[in-house]
Amino acid sequence: MLPDTVATSELRQPPALAHQFESLGAQKEAATFGMWVFLATEVLFFGGLFLTYSVYRMWYPAAFAAGSRELNIALGTINTATLITSSLTMVLAVHAAETGNRKQLLLFIIVTMVLGLVFLGIKADEYYEKFVDHHVPGPNFQFEAQYFRNAQIFFSMYFIMTGLHAVHMIIGLGVMTWMLVWAWNGTITKEYHSPIEIAGLYWHFVDIIWIWLYPLLYLIGRHVHG
Amino acid sequence: MAEYIVPRKVYFLTYAILMACTFLTWRVAYIDLGVLNTVAAIVIAVFKMVLVILFFMHVRYGTSRTWLTVVGAFFWLGILLVVTFGDYLTRGWKTYG
């Protein structure tokens, strides 16, 4: 028998609700806002690099085009398609969580992670190709004399921007592993699914960065040599 | 918790458009449009980004607070780009006096 002094509202709190929130809805909104504020700082982070890229491209357009033509357009395009597909599977994972479908949630988290690994694998192969082609800025760099210095600026931006993006992908895979564990052990329920949505926001953001990196790095001056 | 669950066909349609835009941006890169190549690439990238933000990231169905945060972040980026380029693009200008 419950004591008379227990308030009825206390009897029905969902286990996932932290005490400072009035409802799961309020908690979810706070979590969403927090992640968006973090993503805003990521705009600051990558924004500085995009600015640097833009200034150097404005100064050395021919060198940037020459460097861009040396990137593997097939792999870059496949990677773009891979990440966009992973965003689809991510959002389908959120949908599965929202509808309480645990099997689908697990499936889509795993597929999203596999696509992320495919992306990183292709990236690693591209980096390897660049080492072999002597396009890594430094003592072993080789390029046509006319663009020797400024193409190194292009390749520096290429490695820094895609490298930072790859670091974010790896962190994303870590986050998704955590979500996989939570989806597996029953922490994620139809009522408490906001962690999947928050992880999804991060994942989509990293996809958006790549949506910009692809044309800015791979598609400069392609019409010249085809 | 009465929260709107976005129907999956919204996601599939968004995905189809994103893939079509990727194909488009790839093909357009091989056509010589001069300065418009860069403009086209940027326009398509902005469009893809907006689709991801509105539909995959649920901003279309979210609160004004979320919307304001997104707008704020890009407004900041706009200031960074405009003011910095304002500096670099005017370095050659003569001054008087």
Side-chain angles (χ1 to χ4, degrees), chain A residues 24-25 28-29 32-33 36-37 39-40 43-44 47-48 50-51 54-55 57-59 73 77 80-81 84-85 87-88 91-92 94-95 98-99 104 190-191 193 197 201 204-205 207-208 211-212 214-216 219 221-223 226, chain B residues 1 3-8 11-12 15 18-19 22 25-26 28-34 37-38 41-46 48-49 52-53 55-59 63 65-66 69-70 73-74 76-77 80-81 84-85 88-89 91:
Chain A
L24 276 176
K28 179 176 194 284
E29 173 56 21
T32 306
F33 181 53
W36 272 111
V37 170
L39 294 181
V43 171
L44 269 63
F50 279 100
L51 170 71
S54 302
V55 173
R57 179 169 166 181
M58 171 180 72
W59 284 345
I73 182 103
T77 312
T80 307
I84 292 176
T85 308
S87 268
L88 172 68
V91 93
L92 290 175
V94 173
H95 186 273
E98 284 170 339
T99 52
Q104 261 193 25
K190 197 165 160 195
E191 287 71 38
H193 59 267
E197 169 119 24
L201 288 179
H204 297 309
F205 181 80
D207 181 24
I208 287 175
I211 281 174
W212 281 96
Y214 170 63
L216 293 180
L219 300 184
R222 283 282 164 186
H223 52 83
Chain B
M1 204 175 35
E3 172 203 315
Y4 179 61
I5 295 182
V6 180
R8 281 185 291 196
Y11 298 144
F12 291 120
Y15 174 69
L18 284 171
M19 293 297 267
T22 304
T25 203
W26 170 55
V28 166
Y30 287 91
I31 307 167
D32 189 351
L33 301 169
N37 273 113
T38 309
I42 289 177
V43 166
I44 295 173
V46 167
K48 287 165 84 175
M49 175 178 69
V52 172
I53 290 175
F55 296 108
F56 281 177
M57 297 172 92
H58 289 169
V59 171
T63 62
R65 185 195 283 120
T66 301
T69 312
V70 177
F74 285 106
W76 175 87
L77 186 63
L80 177 74
L81 294 172
T84 306
F85 272 91
Y88 280 120
L89 290 175
R91 292 240 170 144

Side-chain angles (χ1 to χ4, degrees), chain A residues 64-80:
Chain A
F64 266 53
S68 175
R69 281 193 289 273
E70 297 300 323
L71 294 182
N72 191 325
I73 182 103
L75 292 184
T77 312
I78 290 171
N79 257 356
T80 307

Side-chain angles (χ1 to χ4, degrees), chain A:
Chain A
M1 282 299 288
L2 292 159
D4 296 336
T5 49
V6 171
T8 30
S9 63
E10 288 177 39
L11 299 175
R12 294 192 214 105
Q13 299 299 28
L17 183 64
H19 71 275
Q20 70 268 30
F21 293 110
E22 282 181 3
S23 66
L24 276 176
Q27 182 173 289
K28 179 176 194 284
E29 173 56 21
T32 306
F33 181 53
M35 175 51 83
W36 272 111
V37 170
F38 170 67
L39 294 181
T41 71
E42 292 273 73
V43 171
L44 269 63
F45 196 177
F46 280 97
L49 288 174
F50 279 100
L51 170 71
T52 308
Y53 161 94
S54 302
V55 173
Y56 280 123
R57 179 169 166 181
M58 171 180 72
W59 284 345
Y60 312 127
F64 266 53
S68 175
R69 281 193 289 273
E70 297 300 323
L71 294 182
N72 191 325
I73 182 103
L75 292 184
T77 312
I78 290 171
N79 257 356
T80 307
T82 302
L83 270 195
I84 292 176
T85 308
S86 78
S87 268
L88 172 68
T89 56
M90 182 71 234
V91 93
L92 290 175
V94 173
H95 186 273
E98 284 170 339
T99 52
N101 192 329
R102 180 173 171 271
K103 273 200 172 48
Q104 261 193 25
L105 171 62
L106 290 167
L107 169 72
F108 283 123
I109 291 178
I110 290 170
V111 173
T112 304
M113 291 176 73
V114 165
L115 290 172
L117 284 168
V118 165
F119 177 91
L120 288 173
I122 292 177
K123 206 84 217 88
D125 183 65
E126 281 186 83
Y127 277 17
Y128 173 71
E129 266 184 27
K130 287 277 135 267
F131 270 89
V132 164
D133 292 344
H134 296 283
H135 288 152
V136 178
N140 298 325
F141 186 78
Q142 291 172 14
F143 210 77
E144 53 188 297
Q146 184 186 4
Y147 302 127
F148 189 79
R149 188 194 80 159
N150 298 335
Q152 285 190 70
I153 297 176
F154 170 79
F155 285 111
S156 295
M157 295 311 300
Y158 167 78
F159 279 111
I160 292 170
M161 293 174 87
T162 60
L164 185 63
H165 176 265
V167 166
H168 278 74
M169 286 290 305
I170 294 168
I171 292 171
L173 286 174
V175 171
M176 296 309 293
T177 305
W178 185 9
M179 292 302 108
L180 190 62
V181 168
W182 273 6
W184 178 263
N185 70 13
T187 304
I188 305 300
T189 64
K190 197 165 160 195
E191 287 71 38
Y192 182 59
H193 59 267
S194 67
I196 308 296
E197 169 119 24
I198 305 306
L201 288 179
Y202 178 82
W203 193 266
H204 297 309
F205 181 80
V206 181
D207 181 24
I208 287 175
I209 296 296
W210 185 260
I211 281 174
W212 281 96
L213 289 183
Y214 170 63
L216 293 180
L217 293 172
Y218 289 82
L219 300 184
I220 315 174
R222 283 282 164 186
H223 52 83
V224 174
H225 291 158

